[in-house]
Amino acid sequence: MTDSPAVPPAADPAATRPATDAVAAADRALKTKHRAVWASGDYPTLASELIWTLGPVVVDSVDVQPGDRVLDVAAGSGNAAIPAALRGGTVVASDLTPELFDVGRRRAHEAGVELEWREADAEALPFENAAFDAVVSCVGVMFAPHHRQAAGELLRVTRPGGRIGLLSWTPDGFIGQMFTTMKPYAAPLPEGAEPAPLWGDEGHVRELLGDDVDEVSARRESVTIDRFASPEAFRDYFKQNYGPTIAVYGRIADEPDQVRALDDALVELARSHGLRAAGDTMRWEYLLVTARRT
């Protein structure tokens, strides 16, 4: 008779708790930082002036019908949530940064619709399984740092047969290239975090959603931007209004050579995408992915 294999002793919960607590504390600190980034500047104005038309694009893509339960993840001030409500959906607009909700509430009131505004982390949504007929995000969930966690939550809260619609900036498009331009001046990504523009890569999104969806459609399109009179005007607008740009400049504020280099790089980026003078337009590429929850 052979000896039984040795059975390792049960893990001591107290021994693993410090590591678990440290991970949880680091995640809370990261989310606090993200909230502060998006609360800085004036994202609602930027969203309204530049990309408000993208909300209806993602809402139309999942064909929101009257009475549908709709969740807008990382909703900001309601680019997609308000159009979904205008189509008759029962809508929840969720975001990690509730400072953006006041503008959203005002715009919803002006549009004559009511919806629920809910503070929520895209990586830990406070909703029951299969709670929604349609789940959408318009250049929002892409900024959650842990892509697989966020995708898992999108899938979890969508009912079987429900629709998912995601609109994200592509890595090769203008905004993706803007993040590439800012990267040398930005803080390194935390361990386990992935670059936001990966959500604009079809293969990456298909991998994230996996076998939990079918009827997947992905197409690249672009929004036309004619807001800026010069490359310098673009740069200064983003320095004033866009949280991620504000954060990068804040990090190098005490290094004037770095500030000048980033100033020049953003101006050159805008020039390379066709902006040279008033009347010029740029085209900012995005990926629109739709899928049905199996």
Side-chain angles (χ1 to χ4, degrees):
M1 180 176 177
T2 58
D3 292 337
S4 299
V7 178
D12 178 2
T16 59
R17 189 176 303 120
T20 303
D21 290 348
V23 170
D27 188 65
R28 286 194 298 271
L30 177 60
K31 300 302 171 57
T32 298
K33 180 180 178 180
H34 275 222
R35 174 174 170 170
V37 165
W38 290 104
S40 65
D42 189 355
Y43 184 74
T45 292
L46 182 151
S48 176
E49 293 182 346
L50 301 182
I51 59 169
W52 193 258
T53 58
L54 297 184
V57 169
V58 71
V59 170
D60 291 347
S61 77
V62 296
D63 192 25
V64 171
Q65 297 294 310
D68 278 349
R69 299 162 297 166
V70 182
L71 174 64
D72 183 4
V73 178
S77 50
N79 281 43
I82 293 172
L86 286 168
R87 288 185 60 137
T90 300
V91 181
V92 178
S94 69
D95 201 283
L96 184 68
T97 308
E99 291 87 344
L100 305 176
F101 290 167
D102 286 345
V103 173
R105 290 189 182 98
R106 187 182 74 244
R107 289 179 178 156
H109 177 74
E110 291 169 351
V113 294
E114 294 185 3
L115 55 150
E116 179 182 351
W117 300 87
R118 184 82 173 268
E119 180 178 350
D121 181 353
E123 297 177 3
L125 294 170
F127 307 111
E128 295 181 359
N129 295 349
F132 297 95
D133 300 300
V135 175
V136 299
S137 188
C138 180
V139 295
V141 73
M142 66 179 291
F143 292 102
H146 305 107
H147 295 188
R148 281 154 185 79
Q149 280 182 239
E153 286 295 274
L154 297 175
L155 293 163
R156 181 183 65 79
V157 301
T158 306
R159 68 163 175 82
R163 293 93 65 203
I164 296 172
L166 307 171
L167 192 154
S168 308
W169 302 120
T170 64
D172 297 331
F174 180 80
I175 296 297
Q177 288 301 298
M178 186 180 76
F179 277 95
T180 298
T181 299
M182 295 192 299
K183 183 178 179 180
Y185 309 91
L189 287 176
E191 183 177 356
E194 295 182 272
L198 277 179
W199 280 89
D201 178 270
E202 179 181 346
H204 183 69
V205 180
R206 284 182 179 271
E207 181 186 355
L208 291 175
L209 299 178
D211 295 333
D212 292 311
V213 297
D214 60 16
E215 299 180 14
V216 180
S217 169
R219 67 179 191 265
R220 291 184 176 219
E221 297 188 359
S222 61
V223 58
T224 300
I225 304 296
D226 58 3
R227 167 68 172 71
F228 303 111
S230 67
E232 291 79 8
F234 150 75
R235 177 200 63 203
D236 295 343
Y237 184 92
F238 269 70
K239 286 176 70 171
Q240 180 178 351
N241 293 298
Y242 193 55
T245 308
I246 293 168
V248 172
Y249 273 99
R251 184 172 183 267
I252 61 174
D254 295 331
E255 303 176 67
D257 290 344
Q258 294 278 77
V259 171
R260 282 192 293 272
L262 181 53
D263 278 349
D264 292 344
L266 289 175
V267 165
E268 181 54 35
L269 175 70
R271 283 201 185 104
S272 71
H273 281 75
L275 176 60
R276 296 179 180 274
D280 290 342
T281 61
M282 294 186 286
R283 298 185 68 82
W284 295 359
E285 185 183 66
Y286 60 83
L287 178 74
L288 179 64
V289 174
T290 59
R292 186 182 73 91
R293 181 72 163 92
T294 54

